[in-house]
Amino acid sequence: MGIKNIIQENHYPIVFIGSGIEKRYLKDFPNWTSLLETFWNQIGEKRNFFGFIHQLTKKYKDENAITQDFLANVEAASYIQQKFDDLFFEEKIFVKDLTLKNAQESRISPFKKEISNLLSNYELRDDINEGEFQFFVQMIEKAKMIITTNYDTFIEDLIRKNSNQNPHVFVGKNSLFDSNNGWSEIYHIHGSVNDPTSIVINSDDYADFNKNSILISAKIMSSMIDSPIIFFGYSMTDRNVRQVLDDFGSQLPQEDPRKSANRILVVEYEKNENKITEQIVKDSSLNHLNYTLIKTDNYKDIFKQLSTINEGATPYEVRKFSGLIRKIIVQHGQSGNLNSVLVTPTQLDTLSKDIDQGKPIVVALGDKKYFYVYPDTISYIKDYIANTTNYAPGIALSFVARSGNQSTKIPFAKYWNNTDKLSLNISHKDLMRLNKKIESYGTIDKAKKSISKLYRIPFSSINEIKQQKYPIGREIDTIA
């Protein structure tokens, strides 16, 4: 189960990265409490910070310890932010690269801007395990998608520095609606130092975040069909990870516990434990979710195993190539400049089965001429009426030209009127056929007159026509 199953399945994982990973590799990396304590000391409070936190936790005595600590820290952040921001606007506190005018006009919290300043500069620890760190870099390069609650840019910086990859970075809840393909992407769901206004830290921020947390789960679950998800740098006492897992538990279908446990892995730090222990956990407080809990200090071995996953192309290459293909289809196809699509010699209907059977497959794009894959008449008409543009203009016009005979009336005006025919490389013969159709049936009146007078019978509905049990040709002409 667990890691072994992921390696056997050979699917790039979705990786969740928390603050525990950054503490492992970064010097003087602050946790949430120590970060708040730093600001507490700047706002001139005479009370002891931990005494203040203690009083806040007492307000939530009916909650468990995890929730008490979380709510106390969130409320403390709200209090500190208000005090810090007021002192900034009273010009008693200075924040680098932020003026009073900019803070006011752009609605930038000085507190959040200072958090960005503090976390924008980081250094690697002197005592990190270099071998483990290299396998960590290789592992995150193989991640299909990385989701983090950390504000800093450590992860994307690592990938850019150590490879030629340039992952797409999304910040905040709004990024969940961006058009993307789910490959080689990093999501800062609690905000990023590059946008101080996006940082989630106070009561209002978390209330807003919680309203949209199900969107995160939906985004991940849509990718979990083929990809497992692994949590690094979190403890099962961490409310962030429990919130995500709780959402999973409410949405995932009931299935074999081992199957769902192989989809979701939580790697928890166990100091000085070299063995990698795995157990399936069914947590009743998380909607009876099944997951694999791994406890170890041997992250090197885990990263090494995960870095061996190879689907043939890296997640970055998949994103790059799919993006290029989409760009060609959208930009050149709509303008009538997509001159060719060459696909495998087999039919598209059987292509998926051929891939599953391991047959050699070639898919390429060119710019000279089509190896045509025609629609059938019903598919073409549905596509035309629904305006879904599933067929490139050149294919559509050639299909119409060669369908039936001169009297076959298939609509094609939107392709004919909105493209440059010369750029489509349509054969002279097909152009002649199309021109003859236009000449014969290019107006509504001509189209009506082309139908036999015997079939021009008034009816009140299509169902009424169908009830006559006419031969198919007469039925179509009568409906027309």
Side-chain angles (χ1 to χ4, degrees), residues 150-209:
N150 299 331
Y151 308 134
D152 59 79
T153 59
F154 173 60
I155 299 300
E156 54 260 47
D157 292 344
L158 264 186
I159 295 175
R160 289 172 180 144
K161 179 181 177 181
N162 291 276
S163 69
N164 292 321
Q165 299 185 25
N166 186 26
H168 202 154
V169 179
F170 299 93
V171 176
K173 67 178 186 297
N174 293 331
S175 65
L176 297 169
F177 297 100
D178 290 346
S179 176
N180 52 81
N181 57 24
W183 289 87
S184 188
E185 295 172 347
I186 298 175
Y187 287 84
H188 283 275
I189 59 174
H190 281 181
S192 166
V193 295
N194 289 330
D195 178 10
T197 62
S198 69
I199 289 177
V200 175
I201 194 167
N202 64 38
S203 300
D204 290 340
D205 297 332
Y206 272 98
D208 186 47
F209 176 80

Side-chain angles (χ1 to χ4, degrees), residues 75-88:
E75 192 171 334
S78 300
Y79 178 83
I80 294 169
Q81 179 177 347
Q82 181 183 346
K83 292 287 187 180
F84 188 94
D85 289 356
D86 287 345
L87 289 170
F88 172 83

Side-chain angles (χ1 to χ4, degrees), residues 364-386:
L365 296 177
D367 61 1
K368 294 301 178 187
K369 62 181 180 180
Y370 276 110
F371 279 67
Y372 288 100
V373 180
Y374 280 112
D376 55 59
T377 302
I378 293 176
S379 298
Y380 175 91
I381 295 295
K382 282 183 176 179
D383 180 71
Y384 191 95
I385 294 173

